[in-house]
Amino acid sequence: NDSEDDLFGDYDMESFYGKDSLLAQMDDAEHKYLQDENMDVTAAKDIPGNLQPGIHQKKQNNIITSETEEEHGFQMNEKDHVDICPESSESVFDELPSSQLLYFEKMDELSSGSRMYAGTDRRVECTSSSSDKVRSPSFLCPDAEHENRTTDFSSDSKCDLLKTESLKDHLKSAMTGNAKAQTLQVSKTKQLKEAVLIEEIFVASKTIESSSVDIGPFYGLPSKVKDLLRQFRGIETLYEWQHDCLTLESLQQRKNLIYSLPTSGGKTLVAEIIILQELLCRQKDVLMILPYVAIVQEKIKALSSFGIELGFLVEEYAGSKGRFPPIKRRIKKSLYIATIEKGHALVNSLIETERIGDLGLVVVDELHMLGEGSRGATLEITLAKILYTSKNTQIIGMSATLNNVGDLQKFLQAEYYTNNFRPVELKEYVKIRDTIYAVDSKTENGFTFSHFLNFKYSSNLEKADPDHIIALVTEVIPKYSCLIFCPTKKNCENVASMVCKYLNKEFRVFREKEKQDLIKNLKSIGNGSICPVLKQTIPFGVAYHHSGLTNDERKSIEEAYSAGVLCLIACTVTLAAGVNLPARRVILRAPYVASDFLKKNQYKQMIGRAGRAGIDSAGESILIVQEKDKRLVQDLVHSPLENCYSNLLLELTKGMQSLLLSLVGLKIAVTYEEVNNFMRNTLLGVQQQLLSKDKSLSEIIKDGLESLIEKGLLKGRISEKDHNSKCTITVTPLGKATIKGSIDLAYCNLLYRELKKGLEGLVLESNLHVLYLATPYDLTSNCSPDWMIYLRQFSQLSAAEQKVADIVGVPESFITKKASGQAIRKKVDSAVVNRLYLSFVLYTLLKEMNVWSVSEKFNMSRGYVQNLLSSAASFASCVLHFCEELEEFWVYKALLAELAKQLTYCVKTELIPLMEVAGVLEARAKQLYNAGYRTLAHLANADPETLVKMIEHLPRRQAKQIISSAKMLLSEKAEALQEEVEELLKVPTDIP
């Protein structure tokens, strides 16, 4: 209840209001400003147009230095950009309390209001005062909603009154307010950082909009991005080629781009910077397509921290994860990180909902996969649809192994950039008998002598290791790292065991404690079990890596290798195409993958792992060659990369027919003529000269459409006479369901029949029957049941569950006779028999939730069982979307939704919220849960240091990534709920 007199008493205000004081200068400036304003208002009455106040005409390098401008709340003209420097904190107004700053803001708002009344432009306020709330980064770009604060006045009298009040009275009043006011919780440093980010993104967006080569603070991005790259990745500067690529004129003009560099050249960073430009400055969504689920999850972890700091969402589209169509965000923009298949489904959903224009950029890693089977066909279909339906969506493709770039350029309408840069020099060698030759294209036979192996072998060792792998390995380990690529999974295990058998005991001493911790971790993952080979090899710093291991096991081995605990991994070719694990030396055990001779693309991928940037001065690759393969190897190392050809015809049901169905179903092309026009712009259309002379592209299209009509997926008629007419083709309900579920056309009719048959007698005593319907068709051909195990598992089923086998067409008598080796007279569909066997595996897995015990029961590798589980989760999600389009299958919707969730995680219910976080697998989820981190919110608000202390074998960097991923997921879920609330509260525009 203190009054102003109580607060200040007879304090002599003149003591700080002398002629030369700061307040005196401010008072003079105020009177001068008010005079200028009166002149402006008077002039505005007489002069039409938008004259700018004289006080804002000066601009010096986008930094406001005028005292008068500082005194009036850092206001600026529409054309002025404010760059807030650290020196700003030394300015007069940084020392003023918040209520005084509010006074100056209000004064300027009032004067702005009077100028608006006189017909002048509003000025955009780019910085926050001390009293402003710190804004979310999602509001940082010009395309986001920026509200300018203005005040309406009914008369000029109020304005004049405020203007004529003395500064002294206002200061006294403001000081009273300060005495009563609570201190704001938001720090000035944080506000200044936010203001800098606002301004830099504003400048960056203007730079990009102007299509100028002037790149702004950091390639058109705020300098905070540069700080984050240093903080999260340790990147101080970019390579010269990265700078050249980012400043290409074609990129500034938003042309499509293909760029190619050797493995480890830094391609991904360029793509990430372009992605950030699109999200932050152009305010558009981005789709990033990656080849494998594991790489998608790695990228989610890596970019979530950037999303948290810069205000965009990172959404996972892999396996059974992803919403179709994605939620339409009003404020934050989304980065969709997807596998090839999920990326295609996402693009379909955006086209169907007419939102493809929201997609500003599509980035494709490993672009050479266009030429690889059904996945290549799906990728081609996806890109062709984007090119045809959205002229404003930019496409960026990158790869280390491209050859016929001209065809790809023509298909993608893209520019091309290439460079031979490698951060570490690569030395290629081949080994024939005991001699090492350097690969040299200048010589006649392609090899030049390098040196003999300096290693003495005993006769026993020579027998055990005729290829001298131990000699090649011990030259580098344990000081440096080494990878051995083997043709088969079994060979990986054998090589790891053999090497350890002949290594000195000194190798066991190196980082012994960490190796023991790794063994304990692997035992924990296996619920007490560990692979006997790994138990033998890990103490020597050696392990194997292939698809037979579980995801948790592979992850632990990768982390231990990256940390230097393991120095040697024997692996299959899949490691070369997966996560980035470089080595000082890479050894290729043989020029084969399984029984197939090595392709140049595969060879390049493998040797590309040699040499670690910032660690090694050079990398070495050694290909072990038998005399019989010498000529083939000479051709291999000197031949060009394989060409990339369209797979639309080779993969008919997943390629051409799938494309034709979706073109009609999504109304991209609904006449024969439109379909023809579309097909001319595909990679197949570009490579028409490769088609056989028997049929033209037009005839292939006609045959494909007629086949779809015969299958009941399309309606319409195409005959020889009228196939050039504009007769419209439409999609049937079954065709639409097939598109929505991304079902292979080879199985869509079969799936429909089985679902229909299931309605007649669906067994719901357990989930076995629904599991059978969700078991993927394409895995049955590689399944070879063990008939004794089949019979044992069948006999353990209840009577109702055994009835499922009868319903689907596998009688008990058939299984019994097969197990006893008797002849079978009655024919039974082998695909159905194999599918039911795989259903038994999944059924047992969902009951026991232990991959180890299930793999032992069915005599399968752990990796195979886990791959079956993830494939079934994905297919269950597809069947769910299929059923949603067909009203007759309404009963399956709830059943399949729950089943897809169970298959995705296959853990106890309490662990599911933790396993939703990218990179958190079952073993880690158990650790987190037992340590008290039981919800997504617990994890999102965790302290990294505490997490590292409480969770065994968790590196600090990984702890930070997990927390960032959890924050991102929590933010995404909160945003989705907010969008739902706003949609519910939205007032309809068509109220009667």
Side-chain angles (χ1 to χ4, degrees):
N1 296 324
D2 291 338
S3 65
E4 288 185 24
D5 290 333
D6 291 330
L7 285 169
F8 297 106
D10 295 327
Y11 190 85
D12 183 12
M13 294 292 285
E14 298 299 327
S15 63
F16 59 94
Y17 194 58
K19 288 181 180 180
D20 299 325
S21 71
L22 170 65
L23 293 182
Q25 294 173 37
M26 290 168 67
D27 200 31
D28 290 340
E30 182 198 32
H31 286 301
K32 184 175 183 300
Y33 176 80
L34 293 176
Q35 288 173 8
D36 289 345
E37 292 294 354
N38 290 334
M39 288 174 66
D40 285 342
V41 172
T42 307
K45 291 176 183 176
D46 301 324
I47 301 171
N50 296 331
L51 297 181
Q52 301 295 336
I55 194 168
H56 295 288
Q57 286 177 353
K58 291 184 180 180
K59 182 170 72 174
Q60 297 179 5
N61 296 327
N62 292 338
I63 301 175
I64 297 179
T65 55
S66 160
E67 276 188 31
T68 312
E69 287 172 13
E70 284 186 346
E71 288 173 2
H72 291 280
F74 292 66
Q75 293 290 332
M76 75 173 194
N77 198 316
E78 273 183 86
K79 296 180 182 177
D80 290 339
H81 300 157
V82 182
D83 192 72
I84 301 179
C85 299
E87 287 79 11
S88 305
S89 60
E90 298 174 10
S91 69
V92 174
F93 279 81
D94 276 355
E95 302 303 322
L96 290 178
S98 57
S99 55
Q100 292 173 11
L101 285 169
L102 281 171
Y103 159 66
F104 287 118
E105 275 188 29
K106 189 162 186 178
M107 284 286 290
D108 203 60
E109 282 182 8
L110 296 177
S111 59
S112 294
S114 67
R115 284 194 299 279
M116 279 179 62
Y117 183 75
T120 59
D121 283 340
R122 287 189 304 173
R123 290 169 294 171
V124 182
E125 184 173 61
C126 277
T127 58
S128 306
S129 72
S130 310
S131 59
D132 285 341
K133 290 179 182 177
V134 175
R135 294 174 185 156
S136 164
S138 58
F139 291 92
L140 298 179
C141 287
D143 292 338
E145 296 177 9
H146 283 241
E147 295 296 333
N148 299 320
R149 293 176 297 163
T150 57
T151 312
D152 282 337
F153 296 95
S154 55
S155 66
D156 290 336
S157 59
K158 194 180 288 185
C159 192
D160 293 336
L161 181 65
L162 280 165
K163 285 180 180 178
T164 53
E165 269 189 313
S166 75
L167 179 61
K168 178 178 175 181
D169 289 340
H170 274 294
L171 284 176
K172 191 169 182 179
S173 173
M175 290 168 74
T176 305
N178 290 340
K180 295 177 181 179
Q182 292 183 351
T183 306
L184 289 174
Q185 298 302 308
V186 182
S187 72
K188 195 171 292 295
T189 305
K190 190 173 182 182
Q191 291 177 43
L192 285 171
K193 284 181 179 177
E194 291 289 344
V196 169
L197 193 55
I198 291 169
E199 168 56 17
E200 289 191 343
I201 291 185
F202 183 77
V203 171
S205 64
K206 288 296 180 188
T207 300
I208 287 171
E209 284 170 12
S210 66
S211 297
S212 167
V213 291
D214 178 13
I215 57 177
F218 181 70
Y219 300 98
L221 287 164
S223 56
K224 182 172 183 178
V225 173
K226 190 176 182 180
D227 296 338
L228 292 175
L229 286 172
R230 186 185 301 114
Q231 181 184 338
F232 297 144
R233 307 274 181 84
I235 296 171
E236 294 287 344
T237 56
L238 269 60
Y239 296 130
E240 187 179 341
W241 83 262
Q242 291 172 325
H243 171 80
D244 293 343
C245 188
L246 285 167
T247 53
L248 287 173
E249 192 68 31
S250 54
L251 270 186
Q252 308 301 319
Q253 295 170 4
R254 284 186 60 73
K255 290 181 180 177
N256 295 342
L257 177 69
I258 299 169
Y259 63 100
S260 177
L261 280 98
T263 303
S264 305
K267 295 183 295 295
T268 306
L269 179 60
V270 169
E272 288 173 351
I273 290 172
I274 297 169
I275 285 169
L276 293 176
Q277 289 173 346
E278 196 68 31
L279 289 165
L280 299 179
C281 302
R282 294 192 185 95
Q283 287 286 300
K284 289 282 190 178
D285 296 329
V286 175
L287 168 61
M288 187 177 200
I289 298 176
L290 302 170
Y292 304 110
V293 174
I295 302 177
V296 168
Q297 291 172 342
E298 283 293 316
K299 192 57 66 179
I300 292 278
K301 282 199 302 181
L303 291 178
S304 287
S305 31
F306 285 86
I308 295 294
E309 293 291 332
L310 298 169
F312 60 86
L313 297 171
V314 181
E315 301 184 39
E316 180 180 349
Y317 280 77
S320 60
K321 294 183 180 178
R323 294 173 185 252
F324 302 101
I327 296 171
K328 187 172 175 64
R329 313 287 182 182
R330 298 187 183 189
I331 300 168
K332 289 188 176 181
K333 295 302 165 188
S334 291
L335 168 58
Y336 310 115
I337 302 182
T339 55
I340 292 170
E341 293 75 17
K342 287 292 180 179
H344 179 223
L346 177 64
V347 167
N348 280 349
S349 70
L350 291 173
I351 292 171
E352 186 181 23
T353 53
E354 299 181 349
R355 286 169 49 196
I356 191 66
D358 294 346
L359 206 57
L361 174 68
V362 175
V363 173
V364 182
D365 195 8
E366 310 295 355
L367 187 64
H368 62 270
M369 288 197 75
L370 275 167
E372 295 185 14
S374 61
R375 304 194 80 212
T378 304
L379 182 57
E380 180 181 347
I381 291 168
T382 305
L383 295 174
K385 286 176 182 174
I386 294 166
L387 287 163
Y388 194 83
T389 58
S390 179
K391 301 302 179 188
N392 295 322
T393 302
Q394 186 181 20
I395 295 175
I396 305 290
M398 53 180 166
S399 174
T401 53
L402 287 177
N403 191 28
N404 57 330
V405 179
D407 285 354
L408 301 182
Q409 276 186 270
K410 195 172 179 183
F411 166 45
L412 295 176
Q413 302 154 36
E415 301 288 315
Y416 179 57
Y417 175 87
T418 187
N419 196 302
N420 290 322
F421 172 80
R422 229 181 161 273
V424 177
E425 182 191 358
L426 173 61
K427 297 176 180 177
E428 287 181 62
Y429 299 99
V430 296
K431 175 193 164 295
I432 303 172
R433 292 190 292 271
D434 62 348
T435 309
I436 305 293
Y437 297 91
V439 174
D440 186 356
S441 58
K442 295 175 184 177
T443 60
E444 187 176 342
N445 66 358
F447 303 141
T448 56
F449 173 79
S450 176
H451 61 276
F452 292 109
L453 277 176
N454 184 25
F455 194 89
K456 291 183 179 179
Y457 269 55
S458 65
S459 57
N460 288 339
L461 185 53
E462 187 73 40
K463 286 178 185 176
D465 182 24
D467 294 324
H468 309 111
I469 290 172
I470 293 170
L472 296 173
V473 161
T474 50
E475 287 180 349
V476 288
I477 66 167
K479 187 177 180 182
Y480 301 107
S481 58
C482 181
L483 293 175
I484 304 176
F485 285 103
C486 303
T488 65
K489 289 183 277 191
K490 189 63 182 171
N491 194 227
C492 291
E493 298 175 33
N494 291 342
V495 167
S497 294
M498 184 271 294
V499 168
C500 292
K501 190 175 178 182
Y502 293 99
L503 284 179
N504 295 329
K505 291 184 178 179
E506 298 165 11
F507 283 88
R508 298 178 70 100
V509 181
F510 185 75
R511 302 184 75 163
E512 188 174 7
K513 184 182 179 303
E514 285 129 302
K515 290 172 190 171
Q516 290 306 315
D517 287 343
L518 175 58
I519 290 172
K520 284 180 189 173
N521 188 32
L522 289 170
K523 274 186 179 176
S524 170
I525 289 167
N527 293 316
S529 302
I530 185 172
C531 168
V533 176
L534 290 176
K535 188 177 180 181
Q536 174 211 342
T537 62
I538 286 174
F540 289 92
V542 178
Y544 69 86
H545 183 291
H546 58 59
S547 60
L549 295 171
T550 66
N551 293 336
D552 279 316
E553 288 173 312
R554 288 201 295 267
K555 195 79 187 159
S556 294
I557 288 168
E558 288 162 11
E559 287 169 3
Y561 178 81
S562 296
V565 177
L566 296 175
C567 55
L568 172 66
I569 293 182
C571 53
T572 53
V573 68
T574 50
L575 187 73
V579 289
N580 186 21
L581 293 177
R584 172 67 171 266
R585 175 175 285 181
V586 169
I587 300 168
L588 279 67
R589 172 78 178 72
Y592 290 91
V593 174
S595 58
D596 299 326
F597 196 79
L598 205 60
K599 293 178 182 176
K600 184 60 178 273
N601 287 351
Q602 293 170 327
Y603 174 71
K604 281 289 186 185
Q605 288 273 11
M606 290 189 222
I607 68 171
R609 294 291 179 223
R612 298 163 299 170
I615 301 173
D616 298 326
S617 56
E620 301 169 341
S621 73
I622 300 174
L623 171 57
I624 298 173
V625 181
Q626 304 302 322
E627 197 67 46
K628 65 182 178 68
D629 295 322
K630 186 176 176 181
R631 178 57 58 189
L632 289 172
V633 169
Q634 285 175 336
D635 293 340
L636 171 73
V637 295
H638 298 301
S639 64
L641 293 162
E642 288 85 8
N643 285 336
C644 184
Y645 295 121
S646 172
N647 277 269
L648 287 183
L649 292 183
L650 296 175
E651 300 289 337
L652 196 60
T653 57
K654 287 186 178 180
M656 175 63 86
Q657 289 188 5
S658 176
L659 173 56
L660 294 176
L661 177 63
S662 62
L663 288 180
V664 176
L666 297 172
K667 298 179 181 176
I668 297 170
V670 293
T671 67
Y672 176 82
E673 188 180 347
E674 289 174 352
V675 172
N676 241 327
N677 288 337
F678 179 96
M679 291 303 300
R680 278 195 287 269
N681 294 311
T682 60
L683 181 58
L684 178 64
V686 169
Q687 296 174 336
Q688 281 187 63
Q689 73 276 9
L690 302 174
L691 295 173
S692 66
K693 294 178 181 178
D694 299 338
K695 281 187 179 180
S696 66
L697 182 59
S698 297
E699 289 171 322
I700 292 168
I701 294 167
K702 175 180 167 293
D703 290 349
L705 291 170
E706 287 180 343
S707 175
L708 292 171
I709 291 168
E710 284 174 23
K711 288 181 178 180
L713 301 173
L714 292 180
K715 287 188 294 187
R717 189 174 176 185
I718 300 169
S719 65
E720 290 293 339
K721 294 179 182 177
D722 64 6
H723 72 257
N724 284 319
S725 69
K726 295 188 178 180
C727 181
T728 302
I729 310 163
T730 56
V731 69
T732 64
L734 178 59
K736 193 171 183 184
T738 303
I739 297 167
K740 279 291 186 71
S742 300
I743 306 293
D744 186 343
L745 270 60
Y747 308 118
C748 61
N749 289 95
L750 176 60
L751 176 63
Y752 178 81
R753 289 196 300 272
E754 291 193 325
L755 289 169
K756 189 83 172 171
K757 189 177 179 182
L759 291 178
E760 297 170 9
L762 190 64
V763 178
L764 294 176
E765 184 180 285
S766 72
N767 58 7
L768 178 60
H769 199 167
V770 184
L771 256 176
Y772 172 81
L773 295 171
T775 301
Y777 291 102
D778 54 359
L779 295 181
T780 57
S781 58
N782 295 324
C783 175
S784 300
D786 182 316
W787 296 107
M788 290 304 296
I789 293 172
Y790 208 146
L791 182 60
R792 192 184 310 128
Q793 292 301 316
F794 182 86
S795 61
Q796 289 173 5
L797 299 175
S798 67
E801 289 170 337
Q802 287 181 355
K803 189 181 173 185
V804 173
D806 268 332
I807 291 171
V808 301
V810 185
E812 181 180 1
S813 58
F814 173 82
I815 302 171
T816 306
K817 286 179 179 179
K818 273 286 189 184
S820 60
Q822 297 178 38
I824 308 292
R825 292 178 183 176
K826 188 179 178 182
K827 190 177 180 182
V828 178
D829 188 344
S830 62
V832 175
V833 173
N834 292 356
R835 195 165 176 233
L836 183 64
Y837 186 68
L838 294 177
S839 302
F840 285 175
V841 178
L842 292 168
Y843 181 58
T844 311
L845 193 55
L846 287 184
K847 280 200 299 184
E848 298 186 11
M849 294 183 181
N850 187 328
V851 172
W852 273 81
S853 64
V854 173
S855 65
E856 286 171 10
K857 268 184 186 175
F858 287 88
N859 195 24
M860 294 174 167
S861 74
R862 302 181 298 284
Y864 180 86
V865 172
Q866 197 167 58
N867 180 56
L868 170 64
L869 183 67
S870 59
S871 297
S874 184
F875 188 64
S877 178
C878 291
V879 177
L880 171 60
H881 294 307
F882 180 87
C883 292
E884 285 172 343
E885 286 301 311
L886 298 168
E887 191 59 40
E888 61 194 297
F889 294 146
W890 63 271
V891 71
Y892 288 114
K893 293 177 189 176
L895 294 170
L896 287 166
E898 182 58 31
L899 182 65
K901 191 174 181 181
Q902 288 178 9
L903 289 167
T904 299
Y905 300 108
C906 194
V907 291
K908 292 179 180 176
T909 310
E910 61 264 25
L911 297 181
I912 290 177
L914 299 175
M915 287 187 68
E916 287 180 334
V917 178
V920 176
L921 300 174
E922 184 181 357
R924 186 72 76 207
K926 285 178 181 175
Q927 285 181 310
L928 291 166
Y929 188 85
N930 293 334
Y933 298 96
R934 303 195 169 184
T935 66
L936 191 58
H938 281 146
L939 207 49
N941 293 287
D943 173 58
E945 298 304 321
T946 308
L947 207 58
V948 169
K949 287 176 186 173
M950 296 185 72
I951 307 297
E952 281 189 297
H953 322 298
L954 180 64
R956 186 170 284 98
R957 179 170 170 271
Q958 197 180 346
K960 289 178 179 178
Q961 284 185 334
I962 287 173
I963 292 168
S964 291
S965 296
K967 282 181 179 175
M968 176 55 66
L969 187 58
L970 197 63
S971 170
E972 186 189 320
K973 289 190 172 190
E975 288 276 335
L977 290 171
Q978 187 61 40
E979 299 285 347
E980 197 175 327
V981 169
E982 289 182 14
E983 194 62 38
L984 283 170
L985 297 177
K986 190 177 177 182
V987 179
T989 54
D990 57 349
I991 299 175

